[in-house]
Amino acid sequence: MTQNSTVDVLISGAGAAGLTLAIELARRGVSFRLIEKLNDPFRGSRGKGIQPRTQEVFEDLGILDRIVALGGAYPRQREYRDDGSFSESDAVLREEPTPAEPYHFPLMVPQFQTEGVMRERLLELGYRPDFGCELIGFEQDDAGVTARLQGPSGQETIRVRWLVGADGGRSFVRHELDIGFPGKTLGVRAIVADVMLTGLDRDAWHRFGEGYMQRQIGLCPLAGTELFQIQAPIPLEGEIDLSAAGLTALVAERTGRDDIHVHSVSWASAFHMNARLADRYRLGRVFLAGDAAHTHPPTGGQGLNTSVQDAYNLGWKLAAVAGGAPDALLDSYEQERRPIAAAMLGLATGLLDALKRGDLRRGREVHQLDIGYPESSLSLEKPARRGGLLAGNRAPDAPLMAAAGQPRRLFELYKGTHWTLLGYEVDQAAVPSRKGLHIHRIGGSGDLIDQSGHFLNACALTPGDFVLVRPDGYIGAIVASREASALEDYLAQLGLGLTAGERS
């Protein structure tokens, strides 16, 4: 057994949550190790919907354009009747983008492609997952975690400051911590399979037997690939033939057609749908993220997106504490993310009930743009606000004009690992500059001009107001100039107080 040198964070599980966390830590200069017990990357399409809020996260991580280039919009759903006729409708609500919300419909990107882009980004930052390396045990104390790993070269021990279990619904980390995972099995067993087939065109999501669980089947062309994804409920018990021949027979039985042939199967799975939520997300120096903390039915495309945003929330907080911020900041991870997961579980379960009735349509409720943390201990308003933008809300986008005449976006200002302080018609010296905080003044003699009025419309501020945007794109604080001391106290509690050199 070998003993490895200390790193800050061990991430167990290199799926979407683990990769997001790794990218977040890498771009902040926090040392980590990302391990995955599988020998190769996941090659299925289980999570194929990238919701608008996650698209915003991916823009910040520097991968959105690559994700968009690989995927595409959801096709219209084509519902076939028993007589062979059909009707068509949009599976997802389509709205025009707005200045505050530039992304307004889900993208279809197979999970294996999304994770491939994330690994590519991680490699650019100098890291890669350790495949074939499994966490087999760990102990924690007040100073850190000692973890035992089993890899191709045998066993090793690694010492870290924190361990994050992003290791899926059957999480080893969660089991070792003896954290409860209450919830329910939803009484639905289904298959999902990525296949090559002939007999259907690729301009629609083909659906048969809607409203009858024992007859339903959907065949969806996977954007950016030559594959179709087959989805179908199956009996709760019994063996299911997931071979090409078996799936061809199932398709024929459910569709009443003999011209659809599955020629090969890239990946297939039969699973029971569950809705479960961990009792807690943190125990000492160990955290849960993604499916290790919550498992969703696939309806509504919430699982992968919620997992990405867990890691996006946790990453900057781990980095802040590693850099000297109080450890109490890490308690806000569970405080903020667990209620969100509970709400998303309720949403996905409700959408599953609708699917049983044949209703596949999805609206704004799945976009995750309205998620926020108004009750968080990190949300400050001085004075309290009655409407408009509130502390804890998602920070909006808006077009601006730089003082030098070039167009800018709020999202460009937020992008990166820093906090962003926006002052509307404020005095230049009201809040001093410091490391980790980017300050912009909008209006008057500021460096940015709200020429179109979209900033003021999105934020509903009065002259002298400051808006502090967290590294994860949520509003941390909104304070008036006369309350600048409260803003200084807030920043100090997060490790962003003025140093002696910055005060001089």
Side-chain angles (χ1 to χ4, degrees):
M1 181 180 291
T2 59
Q3 175 80 43
N4 274 8
S5 59
T6 299
V7 297
D8 286 315
V9 185
L10 175 63
I11 308 168
S12 179
L19 287 164
T20 302
L21 181 58
I23 293 169
E24 280 291 89
L25 297 178
R27 66 181 188 152
R28 287 174 165 79
V30 177
S31 62
F32 67 91
R33 186 165 171 191
L34 174 62
I35 63 171
E36 170 56 59
K37 69 178 182 179
L38 298 178
N39 292 324
D40 301 292
F42 177 70
R43 57 188 179 91
S45 66
R46 181 182 291 118
K48 65 179 184 295
I50 308 298
Q51 300 295 346
R53 176 55 189 157
T54 304
Q55 294 170 43
E56 296 178 353
V57 173
F58 284 172
E59 179 179 350
D60 182 42
L61 298 183
I63 62 174
L64 179 60
D65 288 337
R66 290 179 244 187
I67 292 288
V68 172
L70 284 175
Y74 274 73
R76 287 171 64 82
Q77 60 181 2
R78 184 175 297 166
E79 298 181 14
Y80 292 84
R81 305 181 185 94
D82 290 343
D83 63 3
S85 64
F86 59 82
S87 61
E88 290 193 353
S89 61
D90 287 328
V92 297
L93 175 69
R94 294 181 182 271
E95 295 181 346
E96 291 300 313
T98 68
E101 298 176 349
Y103 310 114
H104 243 282
F105 61 88
L107 293 171
M108 180 191 291
V109 188
Q111 185 172 340
F112 68 86
Q113 290 193 329
T114 298
E115 292 180 0
V117 170
M118 297 173 84
R119 288 192 299 274
E120 181 181 274
R121 178 66 178 130
L122 187 60
L123 189 59
E124 293 171 353
L125 294 167
Y127 292 87
R128 66 177 73 222
D130 290 342
F131 287 101
C133 185
E134 182 177 3
L135 178 67
I136 59 174
F138 62 89
E139 296 83 30
Q140 64 172 313
D141 53 45
D142 291 341
V145 180
T146 301
R148 298 185 301 281
L149 312 179
Q150 178 70 52
S153 301
Q155 288 192 20
E156 63 174 305
T157 299
I158 184 172
R159 181 71 174 171
V160 297
R161 294 178 67 179
W162 297 286
L163 166 65
V164 179
D167 50 348
R170 299 178 180 178
S171 170
F172 172 79
V173 173
R174 189 187 66 243
H175 282 290
E176 286 295 290
L177 294 174
D178 196 25
I179 292 176
F181 201 42
K184 58 184 178 180
T185 298
L186 299 173
V188 177
R189 185 180 177 219
I191 62 163
V192 58
D194 300 343
V195 305
M196 295 287 290
L197 62 76
T198 54
L200 292 172
D201 58 46
R202 299 186 61 84
D203 64 353
W205 184 339
H206 306 272
R207 304 192 64 84
F208 300 82
E210 293 303 307
Y212 303 92
M213 287 296 285
Q214 69 274 21
R215 294 173 49 200
Q216 278 187 28
I217 192 167
L219 301 99
C220 181
L222 289 173
T225 77
E226 296 181 347
L227 300 168
F228 277 78
Q229 183 189 73
I230 299 176
Q231 298 172 311
I234 56 176
L236 294 176
E237 304 292 340
E239 293 294 321
I240 299 295
D241 185 354
L242 296 177
S243 68
L247 290 173
T248 296
L250 178 66
V251 169
E253 177 188 345
R254 299 280 177 101
T255 66
R257 292 172 52 171
D258 60 7
D259 60 331
I260 305 171
H261 298 281
V262 176
H263 299 283
S264 63
V265 180
S266 174
W267 170 81
S269 175
F271 64 99
H272 289 272
M273 294 187 189
N274 287 277
R276 299 186 181 278
L277 179 63
D279 284 335
R280 56 194 304 178
Y281 280 25
R282 180 189 187 187
L283 185 58
R285 290 182 168 269
V286 185
F287 299 83
L288 301 177
D291 287 352
H294 45 78
T295 57
H296 306 242
T299 42
Q302 301 300 292
L304 181 146
N305 294 272
T306 304
S307 297
V308 165
Q309 292 173 60
D310 284 348
Y312 192 56
N313 183 290
L314 179 60
W316 72 265
K317 295 173 181 178
L318 284 171
V321 176
D327 180 80
L329 175 61
L330 296 174
D331 290 332
S332 70
Y333 167 62
E334 177 179 323
Q335 179 189 73
E336 292 182 345
R337 293 304 303 168
R338 192 172 181 276
I340 297 300
M344 294 302 100
L345 284 169
L347 171 62
T349 302
L351 292 174
L352 177 61
D353 290 339
L355 178 62
K356 292 176 182 178
R357 300 189 299 270
D359 181 5
L360 188 69
R361 290 182 296 274
R362 305 292 177 255
R364 182 182 174 90
E365 72 277 7
V366 304
H367 292 177
Q368 300 199 353
L369 291 169
D370 298 322
I371 286 173
Y373 311 122
E375 304 302 320
S376 171
S377 59
L378 301 184
S379 297
L380 171 71
E381 293 177 0
K382 289 285 188 173
R385 293 170 61 83
R386 303 299 181 187
L389 190 69
L390 303 176
N393 286 173
R394 162 195 166 275
D397 196 7
L400 299 167
M401 184 70 72
Q406 298 300 313
R408 301 291 301 273
R409 289 171 60 207
L410 283 180
F411 275 12
E412 294 175 18
L413 308 184
Y414 310 152
K415 188 173 183 177
T417 62
H418 55 273
W419 292 71
T420 305
L421 183 63
L422 306 173
Y424 178 60
E425 301 282 3
V426 298
D427 179 71
Q428 185 168 2
V431 179
S433 299
R434 80 255 351 242
K435 182 180 179 181
L437 178 66
H438 292 192
I439 302 176
H440 298 277
R441 293 184 302 125
I442 300 174
S445 58
D447 57 303
L448 296 165
I449 302 166
D450 184 24
Q451 192 173 45
S452 61
H454 290 300
F455 169 77
L456 187 59
N457 183 60
C459 297
L461 303 178
T462 57
D465 284 346
F466 285 99
V467 176
L468 181 64
V469 181
R470 301 170 10 165
D472 58 355
Y474 288 89
I475 304 300
I478 305 177
V479 300
S481 291
R482 65 181 181 273
E483 302 285 357
S485 60
L487 183 59
E488 285 291 352
D489 291 342
Y490 179 97
L491 292 169
Q493 292 171 6
L494 294 163
L496 290 171
L498 289 169
T499 66
E502 290 166 336
R503 283 193 294 268
S504 62

